[in-house]
Amino acid sequence: MRLDDIIIQRRRCCASVPDLQAIPNLSIYVPSDDITLVCCSQYQLSHQIFEFYKEDSIIHSTEHNRRCTSYMMNIRSQQDVGPYYCACKALENGTYEQSNKSEPIIFQFADIPLPPAIMLEPSLPVYTTKESIHLVCEPPDGAAAKIVQIYREEKKIHEETASKSQYVISASAKDAPGKYYCTYWVEMNGRSLGSPPSEHVTVTVASVPPTPSLSLSPEYLVYIKGELVNLTCSLPAGFTVTKVQFYRNGELFPVTNIQQRNLFVTVALDTITTVNFTCKYFAEMSGRTMASESSNEVTIIITEPPPVPSITLQPLQPVYITGEEVSVICSVPRHLEDNLKFIKFYRFGLNIHTCERKCKYTVTNSNTQLNGDYSCGFSILKHGRELLAHSQSIQVTFTDVPQTPSVVLKPMQPVYLKEETVSISCSFPEKSRAIKIQYFKDKQEFQAPEKMSTIVATNLSLENTGVYTCQYWLNYSGRHISSLRSPPISIIVEDVPQSPAIDLNPMLPTYLRGEYISITCNPPNNFNVVHTKYFKDDKKFHTSWDNIHSMPTLSLENKGNYSCGYMCNRYGRHVFSKRSRSVFINVVGKWPRDAACAQMELAYVTPLRTTNGERGGIFLKPSLHQNGDFTKILVLIESTAWDGDQ
């Protein structure tokens, strides 16, 4: 086709009016009718759009390369009657040109006729075979019924052209018993409309009580061994039932006799097999007890239950510490994995997580709120039934980390001296529950009795210097849980400060009463001395803030062995040094003139300036009286003797 012809055809399409039809084309419609609107354009184009309108609103739009298209709808109320139109659009020069709307279609609508009333005359719960029953089917007032139809057990048994029907049922007829209902037909605008069915009425003939109905609850295609099911024998109304019996595989299944319209019995499915159940009842009718026919047969297929899943904890602990993670793992037998639908996790019986195939549920707890009984279950499909298997429960218990201990030293000193004693205690609130206490020096555990909360370190040495910590263990339901390490505490052990040097000034072997002497106590240079103590014959007699003690006038009481020591500051502790060596101060009285002299060894040498100004050495050679007092001193000056008095 030439381009000019295509353009002319499209212009004709846009100028033409499409055709709209309704299928089926009825004179009147009811809510149950489905209607197809068919819209056809005059020409078939490769690109054209069909639009359906209700009044002025588009209700459907579609693009087709065919001449006709359809739209299905349903009239549900008077508001849906229309008018309905359709139109088409053709693509021309890049834009769509719309045709005129079709002729409108307006539907005629009517509600479905109301159901008729049905009744039995006389109305009795049971009829004998000698009775006749009039079944009356009466349409509502004002309904212009043309045809009345009567049904028994869903089958039409009578039809007549009348506005009302009376149908006679002979109770002796074989097909008389059953449930009856009726309908009627009216004509509107040339269309026949049928009413809904009436309520049902039941005709029961005394010769044979109606067959009961046996139903099963719950109703599955397959059952699990050990399940309980309810068998319900439903009896028709209007009978005085004297006895109901259940049968299992044709043999009487004993239950307690009961007079009741609907009787159910609970049956435990205890064997893996297929069983058939039926029931029948006995009714008192016209002074006679008559047995009904056996009910429908209910077949039960019993199978093994699915294996119970195993539930484990990873890691497995009798108790978990707050902050730890524990995974709850549900294991399904491998041969069931292909039929597995889901796995569920429960806490105290409430579903907390659902997953497919292999999965786990992780419990992460910052407190103890997730303690509880955990379990899991899975679902598989077997013979079309979803079967559930539930594991046993497993306990998950969280506990807080034991309180952090502290190391306590007694006595508490900033520094300790060699050979001193210190007790090291690991202090925490649950000492009676502790199963183990550990002590660490410089992060290395050292041997100590496991349950001793205090250890005593005697005879300290320099090797005891270090940083000390401790921790303890508690038993929670069989799990040994340790506390955190205590804050570190330091023990510093040092030697006793070195002995000071002691000097006498002047240094003489013997001193006279009344002479002057000073004692100098010199500590090592690197010690911060607080004060100095002086001892005579091992007894402290003086404390000084400096290191010199003067005795300006000696007396015989000053004779003795002298030593000293100093107090220094070590890390804030006042520590006393070792004692100095001992020096002897010998004090004597004056010398007698008439005593014999005895020579002594050279005792003292000192430089001396003579009266004539010459320097020389003085050599003192005291002479002793027999009682021990000095009697005479011989002075040698440059080897020249000078005999002087006391």
Side-chain angles (χ1 to χ4, degrees), residues 316-321 324 399-402 433-438 450-451 471-484:
L316 179 61
Q317 298 287 3
V319 67
Y320 297 88
I321 302 173
E324 286 185 332
T399 185
D400 292 328
V401 178
R433 293 181 54 205
I435 59 172
K436 183 179 180 182
I437 301 174
Q438 293 175 293
E450 283 192 348
K451 292 188 177 182
Q471 70 181 31
Y472 62 98
W473 295 74
L474 299 179
N475 187 338
Y476 285 95
S477 303
R479 179 182 178 184
H480 295 176
I481 299 177
S482 71
S483 68
L484 299 176

PDB file of all heavy atoms in Angstrom, residues 316-321 324 399-402 433-438 450-451 471-484:
ATOM      1  N   LEU A 316      28.660 -25.199  73.606  1.00  0.00           N
ATOM      2  CA  LEU A 316      27.809 -25.804  74.623  1.00  0.00           C
ATOM      3  C   LEU A 316      28.385 -25.495  75.994  1.00  0.00           C
ATOM      4  O   LEU A 316      29.510 -25.877  76.308  1.00  0.00           O
ATOM      5  CB  LEU A 316      27.710 -27.313  74.400  1.00  0.00           C
ATOM      6  CG  LEU A 316      26.859 -28.079  75.425  1.00  0.00           C
ATOM      7  CD1 LEU A 316      25.425 -27.565  75.387  1.00  0.00           C
ATOM      8  CD2 LEU A 316      26.895 -29.565  75.149  1.00  0.00           C
ATOM      9  N   GLN A 317      27.624 -24.781  76.791  1.00  0.00           N
ATOM     10  CA  GLN A 317      28.019 -24.434  78.147  1.00  0.00           C
ATOM     11  C   GLN A 317      26.805 -24.570  79.049  1.00  0.00           C
ATOM     12  O   GLN A 317      25.668 -24.339  78.618  1.00  0.00           O
ATOM     13  CB  GLN A 317      28.542 -22.988  78.221  1.00  0.00           C
ATOM     14  CG  GLN A 317      29.791 -22.702  77.398  1.00  0.00           C
ATOM     15  CD  GLN A 317      31.051 -23.298  77.998  1.00  0.00           C
ATOM     16  OE1 GLN A 317      30.999 -23.978  79.014  1.00  0.00           O
ATOM     17  NE2 GLN A 317      32.192 -23.060  77.358  1.00  0.00           N
ATOM     18  N   PRO A 318      27.021 -24.936  80.308  1.00  0.00           N
ATOM     19  CA  PRO A 318      25.872 -24.970  81.233  1.00  0.00           C
ATOM     20  C   PRO A 318      25.337 -23.586  81.547  1.00  0.00           C
ATOM     21  O   PRO A 318      24.176 -23.432  81.897  1.00  0.00           O
ATOM     22  CB  PRO A 318      26.448 -25.655  82.480  1.00  0.00           C
ATOM     23  CG  PRO A 318      27.919 -25.424  82.405  1.00  0.00           C
ATOM     24  CD  PRO A 318      28.267 -25.410  80.955  1.00  0.00           C
ATOM     25  N   VAL A 319      26.175 -22.568  81.411  1.00  0.00           N
ATOM     26  CA  VAL A 319      25.750 -21.193  81.651  1.00  0.00           C
ATOM     27  C   VAL A 319      26.641 -20.307  80.800  1.00  0.00           C
ATOM     28  O   VAL A 319      27.787 -20.649  80.498  1.00  0.00           O
ATOM     29  CB  VAL A 319      25.857 -20.839  83.162  1.00  0.00           C
ATOM     30  CG1 VAL A 319      27.296 -20.819  83.612  1.00  0.00           C
ATOM     31  CG2 VAL A 319      25.169 -19.516  83.468  1.00  0.00           C
ATOM     32  N   TYR A 320      26.098 -19.154  80.382  1.00  0.00           N
ATOM     33  CA  TYR A 320      26.828 -18.237  79.512  1.00  0.00           C
ATOM     34  C   TYR A 320      27.004 -16.902  80.219  1.00  0.00           C
ATOM     35  O   TYR A 320      26.170 -16.501  81.044  1.00  0.00           O
ATOM     36  CB  TYR A 320      26.098 -18.039  78.179  1.00  0.00           C
ATOM     37  CG  TYR A 320      25.995 -19.313  77.388  1.00  0.00           C
ATOM     38  CD1 TYR A 320      24.916 -20.177  77.579  1.00  0.00           C
ATOM     39  CD2 TYR A 320      26.993 -19.678  76.494  1.00  0.00           C
ATOM     40  CE1 TYR A 320      24.828 -21.374  76.885  1.00  0.00           C
ATOM     41  CE2 TYR A 320      26.902 -20.871  75.789  1.00  0.00           C
ATOM     42  CZ  TYR A 320      25.830 -21.718  75.985  1.00  0.00           C
ATOM     43  OH  TYR A 320      25.743 -22.891  75.296  1.00  0.00           O
ATOM     44  N   ILE A 321      28.089 -16.241  79.862  1.00  0.00           N
ATOM     45  CA  ILE A 321      28.403 -14.951  80.467  1.00  0.00           C
ATOM     46  C   ILE A 321      27.759 -13.860  79.635  1.00  0.00           C
ATOM     47  O   ILE A 321      27.740 -13.916  78.406  1.00  0.00           O
ATOM     48  CB  ILE A 321      29.923 -14.749  80.545  1.00  0.00           C
ATOM     49  CG1 ILE A 321      30.557 -15.883  81.356  1.00  0.00           C
ATOM     50  CG2 ILE A 321      30.260 -13.406  81.157  1.00  0.00           C
ATOM     51  CD1 ILE A 321      32.067 -15.874  81.349  1.00  0.00           C
ATOM     52  N   GLU A 324      28.371 -12.823  75.819  1.00  0.00           N
ATOM     53  CA  GLU A 324      28.773 -13.916  74.940  1.00  0.00           C
ATOM     54  C   GLU A 324      27.691 -14.193  73.899  1.00  0.00           C
ATOM     55  O   GLU A 324      26.537 -13.835  74.089  1.00  0.00           O
ATOM     56  CB  GLU A 324      29.021 -15.196  75.754  1.00  0.00           C
ATOM     57  CG  GLU A 324      30.305 -15.189  76.546  1.00  0.00           C
ATOM     58  CD  GLU A 324      30.565 -16.516  77.237  1.00  0.00           C
ATOM     59  OE1 GLU A 324      29.587 -17.225  77.563  1.00  0.00           O
ATOM     60  OE2 GLU A 324      31.729 -16.846  77.457  1.00  0.00           O
ATOM     61  N   THR A 399      24.596 -15.249  82.863  1.00  0.00           N
ATOM     62  CA  THR A 399      24.921 -14.680  84.165  1.00  0.00           C
ATOM     63  C   THR A 399      25.941 -13.575  83.971  1.00  0.00           C
ATOM     64  O   THR A 399      26.688 -13.569  82.982  1.00  0.00           O
ATOM     65  CB  THR A 399      25.472 -15.752  85.119  1.00  0.00           C
ATOM     66  OG1 THR A 399      25.669 -15.173  86.410  1.00  0.00           O
ATOM     67  CG2 THR A 399      26.798 -16.310  84.630  1.00  0.00           C
ATOM     68  N   ASP A 400      25.963 -12.636  84.878  1.00  0.00           N
ATOM     69  CA  ASP A 400      26.915 -11.535  84.788  1.00  0.00           C
ATOM     70  C   ASP A 400      28.321 -12.011  85.128  1.00  0.00           C
ATOM     71  O   ASP A 400      28.513 -12.990  85.859  1.00  0.00           O
ATOM     72  CB  ASP A 400      26.518 -10.401  85.743  1.00  0.00           C
ATOM     73  CG  ASP A 400      25.237  -9.711  85.306  1.00  0.00           C
ATOM     74  OD1 ASP A 400      25.002  -9.653  84.084  1.00  0.00           O
ATOM     75  OD2 ASP A 400      24.473  -9.243  86.172  1.00  0.00           O
ATOM     76  N   VAL A 401      29.316 -11.319  84.589  1.00  0.00           N
ATOM     77  CA  VAL A 401      30.714 -11.610  84.915  1.00  0.00           C
ATOM     78  C   VAL A 401      30.912 -11.358  86.408  1.00  0.00           C
ATOM     79  O   VAL A 401      30.408 -10.377  86.951  1.00  0.00           O
ATOM     80  CB  VAL A 401      31.652 -10.714  84.086  1.00  0.00           C
ATOM     81  CG1 VAL A 401      33.103 -10.971  84.447  1.00  0.00           C
ATOM     82  CG2 VAL A 401      31.424 -10.955  82.606  1.00  0.00           C
ATOM     83  N   PRO A 402      31.617 -12.259  87.123  1.00  0.00           N
ATOM     84  CA  PRO A 402      31.860 -12.006  88.547  1.00  0.00           C
ATOM     85  C   PRO A 402      32.509 -10.644  88.766  1.00  0.00           C
ATOM     86  O   PRO A 402      33.272 -10.148  87.932  1.00  0.00           O
ATOM     87  CB  PRO A 402      32.793 -13.150  88.951  1.00  0.00           C
ATOM     88  CG  PRO A 402      32.507 -14.241  87.970  1.00  0.00           C
ATOM     89  CD  PRO A 402      32.182 -13.548  86.697  1.00  0.00           C
ATOM     90  N   ARG A 433      32.209 -18.804  97.773  1.00  0.00           N
ATOM     91  CA  ARG A 433      31.851 -19.557  96.574  1.00  0.00           C
ATOM     92  C   ARG A 433      33.033 -19.781  95.645  1.00  0.00           C
ATOM     93  O   ARG A 433      32.915 -20.516  94.662  1.00  0.00           O
ATOM     94  CB  ARG A 433      30.752 -18.831  95.801  1.00  0.00           C
ATOM     95  CG  ARG A 433      29.410 -18.782  96.506  1.00  0.00           C
ATOM     96  CD  ARG A 433      28.398 -18.069  95.631  1.00  0.00           C
ATOM     97  NE  ARG A 433      28.343 -18.681  94.310  1.00  0.00           N
ATOM     98  CZ  ARG A 433      27.953 -18.032  93.224  1.00  0.00           C
ATOM     99  NH1 ARG A 433      27.592 -16.768  93.300  1.00  0.00           N
ATOM    100  NH2 ARG A 433      27.908 -18.647  92.046  1.00  0.00           N
ATOM    101  N   ALA A 434      34.151 -19.165  95.927  1.00  0.00           N
ATOM    102  CA  ALA A 434      35.291 -19.263  95.019  1.00  0.00           C
ATOM    103  C   ALA A 434      35.835 -20.681  95.016  1.00  0.00           C
ATOM    104  O   ALA A 434      36.009 -21.315  96.059  1.00  0.00           O
ATOM    105  CB  ALA A 434      36.368 -18.272  95.415  1.00  0.00           C
ATOM    106  N   ILE A 435      36.063 -21.197  93.807  1.00  0.00           N
ATOM    107  CA  ILE A 435      36.659 -22.524  93.685  1.00  0.00           C
ATOM    108  C   ILE A 435      38.154 -22.422  93.380  1.00  0.00           C
ATOM    109  O   ILE A 435      38.881 -23.408  93.505  1.00  0.00           O
ATOM    110  CB  ILE A 435      35.960 -23.334  92.578  1.00  0.00           C
ATOM    111  CG1 ILE A 435      36.064 -22.611  91.228  1.00  0.00           C
ATOM    112  CG2 ILE A 435      34.512 -23.587  92.941  1.00  0.00           C
ATOM    113  CD1 ILE A 435      35.563 -23.438  90.069  1.00  0.00           C
ATOM    114  N   LYS A 436      38.609 -21.235  93.014  1.00  0.00           N
ATOM    115  CA  LYS A 436      40.017 -21.069  92.698  1.00  0.00           C
ATOM    116  C   LYS A 436      40.352 -19.586  92.733  1.00  0.00           C
ATOM    117  O   LYS A 436      39.550 -18.754  92.305  1.00  0.00           O
ATOM    118  CB  LYS A 436      40.323 -21.649  91.310  1.00  0.00           C
ATOM    119  CG  LYS A 436      41.791 -21.583  90.900  1.00  0.00           C
ATOM    120  CD  LYS A 436      41.972 -22.215  89.523  1.00  0.00           C
ATOM    121  CE  LYS A 436      43.415 -22.162  89.073  1.00  0.00           C
ATOM    122  NZ  LYS A 436      43.585 -22.737  87.719  1.00  0.00           N
ATOM    123  N   ILE A 437      41.532 -19.281  93.291  1.00  0.00           N
ATOM    124  CA  ILE A 437      42.026 -17.907  93.310  1.00  0.00           C
ATOM    125  C   ILE A 437      43.420 -17.942  92.707  1.00  0.00           C
ATOM    126  O   ILE A 437      44.258 -18.776  93.086  1.00  0.00           O
ATOM    127  CB  ILE A 437      42.055 -17.330  94.737  1.00  0.00           C
ATOM    128  CG1 ILE A 437      40.646 -17.352  95.354  1.00  0.00           C
ATOM    129  CG2 ILE A 437      42.604 -15.906  94.729  1.00  0.00           C
ATOM    130  CD1 ILE A 437      40.600 -16.931  96.798  1.00  0.00           C
ATOM    131  N   GLN A 438      43.682 -17.052  91.767  1.00  0.00           N
ATOM    132  CA  GLN A 438      44.971 -16.995  91.089  1.00  0.00           C
ATOM    133  C   GLN A 438      45.644 -15.658  91.370  1.00  0.00           C
ATOM    134  O   GLN A 438      44.979 -14.608  91.415  1.00  0.00           O
ATOM    135  CB  GLN A 438      44.806 -17.161  89.573  1.00  0.00           C
ATOM    136  CG  GLN A 438      44.336 -18.540  89.151  1.00  0.00           C
ATOM    137  CD  GLN A 438      44.087 -18.596  87.655  1.00  0.00           C
ATOM    138  OE1 GLN A 438      43.169 -17.949  87.163  1.00  0.00           O
ATOM    139  NE2 GLN A 438      44.908 -19.358  86.941  1.00  0.00           N
ATOM    140  N   GLU A 450      45.082 -22.834  95.846  1.00  0.00           N
ATOM    141  CA  GLU A 450      44.015 -22.429  94.932  1.00  0.00           C
ATOM    142  C   GLU A 450      42.919 -21.622  95.605  1.00  0.00           C
ATOM    143  O   GLU A 450      42.316 -20.753  94.998  1.00  0.00           O
ATOM    144  CB  GLU A 450      43.403 -23.661  94.258  1.00  0.00           C
ATOM    145  CG  GLU A 450      44.258 -24.225  93.154  1.00  0.00           C
ATOM    146  CD  GLU A 450      43.513 -25.232  92.318  1.00  0.00           C
ATOM    147  OE1 GLU A 450      42.412 -25.639  92.746  1.00  0.00           O
ATOM    148  OE2 GLU A 450      44.014 -25.592  91.242  1.00  0.00           O
ATOM    149  N   LYS A 451      42.607 -21.937  96.864  1.00  0.00           N
ATOM    150  CA  LYS A 451      41.477 -21.273  97.510  1.00  0.00           C
ATOM    151  C   LYS A 451      41.904 -20.284  98.591  1.00  0.00           C
ATOM    152  O   LYS A 451      41.071 -19.840  99.374  1.00  0.00           O
ATOM    153  CB  LYS A 451      40.539 -22.319  98.119  1.00  0.00           C
ATOM    154  CG  LYS A 451      39.814 -23.165  97.088  1.00  0.00           C
ATOM    155  CD  LYS A 451      38.759 -24.035  97.745  1.00  0.00           C
ATOM    156  CE  LYS A 451      37.988 -24.829  96.695  1.00  0.00           C
ATOM    157  NZ  LYS A 451      36.925 -25.662  97.303  1.00  0.00           N
ATOM    158  N   GLN A 471      42.798 -12.873  90.251  1.00  0.00           N
ATOM    159  CA  GLN A 471      41.461 -13.146  89.746  1.00  0.00           C
ATOM    160  C   GLN A 471      40.944 -14.402  90.441  1.00  0.00           C
ATOM    161  O   GLN A 471      41.729 -15.169  91.018  1.00  0.00           O
ATOM    162  CB  GLN A 471      41.436 -13.331  88.229  1.00  0.00           C
ATOM    163  CG  GLN A 471      42.087 -14.603  87.728  1.00  0.00           C
ATOM    164  CD  GLN A 471      42.056 -14.704  86.214  1.00  0.00           C
ATOM    165  OE1 GLN A 471      42.098 -13.716  85.517  1.00  0.00           O
ATOM    166  NE2 GLN A 471      41.991 -15.925  85.714  1.00  0.00           N
ATOM    167  N   TYR A 472      39.617 -14.597  90.405  1.00  0.00           N
ATOM    168  CA  TYR A 472      39.050 -15.762  91.069  1.00  0.00           C
ATOM    169  C   TYR A 472      38.045 -16.428  90.138  1.00  0.00           C
ATOM    170  O   TYR A 472      37.585 -15.851  89.156  1.00  0.00           O
ATOM    171  CB  TYR A 472      38.384 -15.380  92.394  1.00  0.00           C
ATOM    172  CG  TYR A 472      37.213 -14.433  92.264  1.00  0.00           C
ATOM    173  CD1 TYR A 472      35.905 -14.899  92.259  1.00  0.00           C
ATOM    174  CD2 TYR A 472      37.406 -13.059  92.153  1.00  0.00           C
ATOM    175  CE1 TYR A 472      34.829 -14.040  92.142  1.00  0.00           C
ATOM    176  CE2 TYR A 472      36.340 -12.189  92.026  1.00  0.00           C
ATOM    177  CZ  TYR A 472      35.056 -12.679  92.025  1.00  0.00           C
ATOM    178  OH  TYR A 472      33.991 -11.824  91.900  1.00  0.00           O
ATOM    179  N   TRP A 473      37.699 -17.652  90.458  1.00  0.00           N
ATOM    180  CA  TRP A 473      36.802 -18.469  89.643  1.00  0.00           C
ATOM    181  C   TRP A 473      35.608 -18.905  90.484  1.00  0.00           C
ATOM    182  O   TRP A 473      35.752 -19.256  91.664  1.00  0.00           O
ATOM    183  CB  TRP A 473      37.531 -19.710  89.121  1.00  0.00           C
ATOM    184  CG  TRP A 473      38.652 -19.391  88.176  1.00  0.00           C
ATOM    185  CD1 TRP A 473      39.863 -18.868  88.483  1.00  0.00           C
ATOM    186  CD2 TRP A 473      38.654 -19.580  86.762  1.00  0.00           C
ATOM    187  NE1 TRP A 473      40.634 -18.712  87.361  1.00  0.00           N
ATOM    188  CE2 TRP A 473      39.921 -19.140  86.284  1.00  0.00           C
ATOM    189  CE3 TRP A 473      37.727 -20.082  85.850  1.00  0.00           C
ATOM    190  CZ2 TRP A 473      40.266 -19.191  84.943  1.00  0.00           C
ATOM    191  CZ3 TRP A 473      38.080 -20.133  84.506  1.00  0.00           C
ATOM    192  CH2 TRP A 473      39.327 -19.686  84.064  1.00  0.00           C
ATOM    193  N   LEU A 474      34.427 -18.881  89.834  1.00  0.00           N
ATOM    194  CA  LEU A 474      33.205 -19.362  90.475  1.00  0.00           C
ATOM    195  C   LEU A 474      32.622 -20.502  89.641  1.00  0.00           C
ATOM    196  O   LEU A 474      32.837 -20.570  88.427  1.00  0.00           O
ATOM    197  CB  LEU A 474      32.169 -18.240  90.613  1.00  0.00           C
ATOM    198  CG  LEU A 474      32.565 -17.020  91.456  1.00  0.00           C
ATOM    199  CD1 LEU A 474      31.434 -15.999  91.452  1.00  0.00           C
ATOM    200  CD2 LEU A 474      32.893 -17.420  92.884  1.00  0.00           C
ATOM    201  N   ASN A 475      31.876 -21.358  90.292  1.00  0.00           N
ATOM    202  CA  ASN A 475      31.217 -22.481  89.616  1.00  0.00           C
ATOM    203  C   ASN A 475      29.748 -22.135  89.416  1.00  0.00           C
ATOM    204  O   ASN A 475      28.990 -22.023  90.369  1.00  0.00           O
ATOM    205  CB  ASN A 475      31.339 -23.750  90.459  1.00  0.00           C
ATOM    206  CG  ASN A 475      30.816 -24.972  89.724  1.00  0.00           C
ATOM    207  OD1 ASN A 475      30.019 -24.860  88.794  1.00  0.00           O
ATOM    208  ND2 ASN A 475      31.253 -26.138  90.140  1.00  0.00           N
ATOM    209  N   TYR A 476      29.357 -21.925  88.129  1.00  0.00           N
ATOM    210  CA  TYR A 476      27.958 -21.673  87.781  1.00  0.00           C
ATOM    211  C   TYR A 476      27.431 -22.893  87.042  1.00  0.00           C
ATOM    212  O   TYR A 476      27.747 -23.102  85.876  1.00  0.00           O
ATOM    213  CB  TYR A 476      27.815 -20.433  86.904  1.00  0.00           C
ATOM    214  CG  TYR A 476      27.966 -19.121  87.624  1.00  0.00           C
ATOM    215  CD1 TYR A 476      29.194 -18.468  87.654  1.00  0.00           C
ATOM    216  CD2 TYR A 476      26.893 -18.523  88.260  1.00  0.00           C
ATOM    217  CE1 TYR A 476      29.343 -17.267  88.297  1.00  0.00           C
ATOM    218  CE2 TYR A 476      27.030 -17.311  88.906  1.00  0.00           C
ATOM    219  CZ  TYR A 476      28.254 -16.686  88.931  1.00  0.00           C
ATOM    220  OH  TYR A 476      28.387 -15.492  89.573  1.00  0.00           O
ATOM    221  N   SER A 477      26.666 -23.702  87.745  1.00  0.00           N
ATOM    222  CA  SER A 477      26.019 -24.875  87.132  1.00  0.00           C
ATOM    223  C   SER A 477      27.013 -25.768  86.407  1.00  0.00           C
ATOM    224  O   SER A 477      26.725 -26.322  85.349  1.00  0.00           O
ATOM    225  CB  SER A 477      24.912 -24.424  86.166  1.00  0.00           C
ATOM    226  OG  SER A 477      23.963 -23.631  86.836  1.00  0.00           O
ATOM    227  N   GLY A 478      28.200 -25.895  86.965  1.00  0.00           N
ATOM    228  CA  GLY A 478      29.196 -26.769  86.367  1.00  0.00           C
ATOM    229  C   GLY A 478      30.197 -26.073  85.473  1.00  0.00           C
ATOM    230  O   GLY A 478      31.188 -26.680  85.066  1.00  0.00           O
ATOM    231  N   ARG A 479      29.988 -24.796  85.150  1.00  0.00           N
ATOM    232  CA  ARG A 479      30.964 -24.067  84.342  1.00  0.00           C
ATOM    233  C   ARG A 479      31.785 -23.170  85.252  1.00  0.00           C
ATOM    234  O   ARG A 479      31.246 -22.461  86.102  1.00  0.00           O
ATOM    235  CB  ARG A 479      30.276 -23.212  83.277  1.00  0.00           C
ATOM    236  CG  ARG A 479      31.283 -22.430  82.435  1.00  0.00           C
ATOM    237  CD  ARG A 479      30.629 -21.546  81.408  1.00  0.00           C
ATOM    238  NE  ARG A 479      31.623 -20.791  80.666  1.00  0.00           N
ATOM    239  CZ  ARG A 479      31.372 -19.865  79.751  1.00  0.00           C
ATOM    240  NH1 ARG A 479      30.120 -19.592  79.430  1.00  0.00           N
ATOM    241  NH2 ARG A 479      32.342 -19.222  79.135  1.00  0.00           N
ATOM    242  N   HIS A 480      33.101 -23.245  85.081  1.00  0.00           N
ATOM    243  CA  HIS A 480      33.995 -22.421  85.865  1.00  0.00           C
ATOM    244  C   HIS A 480      34.186 -21.085  85.141  1.00  0.00           C
ATOM    245  O   HIS A 480      34.688 -21.050  84.017  1.00  0.00           O
ATOM    246  CB  HIS A 480      35.340 -23.118  86.066  1.00  0.00           C
ATOM    247  CG  HIS A 480      35.212 -24.374  86.882  1.00  0.00           C
ATOM    248  ND1 HIS A 480      36.274 -25.215  87.139  1.00  0.00           N
ATOM    249  CD2 HIS A 480      34.131 -24.937  87.499  1.00  0.00           C
ATOM    250  CE1 HIS A 480      35.855 -26.235  87.878  1.00  0.00           C
ATOM    251  NE2 HIS A 480      34.561 -26.089  88.096  1.00  0.00           N
ATOM    252  N   ILE A 481      33.779 -20.008  85.793  1.00  0.00           N
ATOM    253  CA  ILE A 481      33.810 -18.673  85.184  1.00  0.00           C
ATOM    254  C   ILE A 481      34.757 -17.806  86.000  1.00  0.00           C
ATOM    255  O   ILE A 481      34.653 -17.742  87.238  1.00  0.00           O
ATOM    256  CB  ILE A 481      32.411 -18.052  85.136  1.00  0.00           C
ATOM    257  CG1 ILE A 481      31.483 -18.925  84.279  1.00  0.00           C
ATOM    258  CG2 ILE A 481      32.460 -16.637  84.592  1.00  0.00           C
ATOM    259  CD1 ILE A 481      30.059 -18.436  84.238  1.00  0.00           C
ATOM    260  N   SER A 482      35.679 -17.170  85.311  1.00  0.00           N
ATOM    261  CA  SER A 482      36.652 -16.326  86.004  1.00  0.00           C
ATOM    262  C   SER A 482      36.210 -14.877  85.981  1.00  0.00           C
ATOM    263  O   SER A 482      35.524 -14.422  85.059  1.00  0.00           O
ATOM    264  CB  SER A 482      38.025 -16.458  85.348  1.00  0.00           C
ATOM    265  OG  SER A 482      38.018 -15.833  84.076  1.00  0.00           O
ATOM    266  N   SER A 483      36.641 -14.177  87.008  1.00  0.00           N
ATOM    267  CA  SER A 483      36.436 -12.737  87.042  1.00  0.00           C
ATOM    268  C   SER A 483      37.463 -12.075  86.133  1.00  0.00           C
ATOM    269  O   SER A 483      38.373 -12.728  85.604  1.00  0.00           O
ATOM    270  CB  SER A 483      36.600 -12.219  88.469  1.00  0.00           C
ATOM    271  OG  SER A 483      37.961 -12.339  88.872  1.00  0.00           O
ATOM    272  N   LEU A 484      37.327 -10.793  85.954  1.00  0.00           N
ATOM    273  CA  LEU A 484      38.378 -10.035  85.294  1.00  0.00           C
ATOM    274  C   LEU A 484      39.567  -9.897  86.244  1.00  0.00           C
ATOM    275  O   LEU A 484      39.431 -10.088  87.459  1.00  0.00           O
ATOM    276  CB  LEU A 484      37.859  -8.655  84.890  1.00  0.00           C
ATOM    277  CG  LEU A 484      36.674  -8.641  83.907  1.00  0.00           C
ATOM    278  CD1 LEU A 484      36.207  -7.212  83.675  1.00  0.00           C
ATOM    279  CD2 LEU A 484      37.050  -9.294  82.593  1.00  0.00           C
TER     280      LEU A 484
END
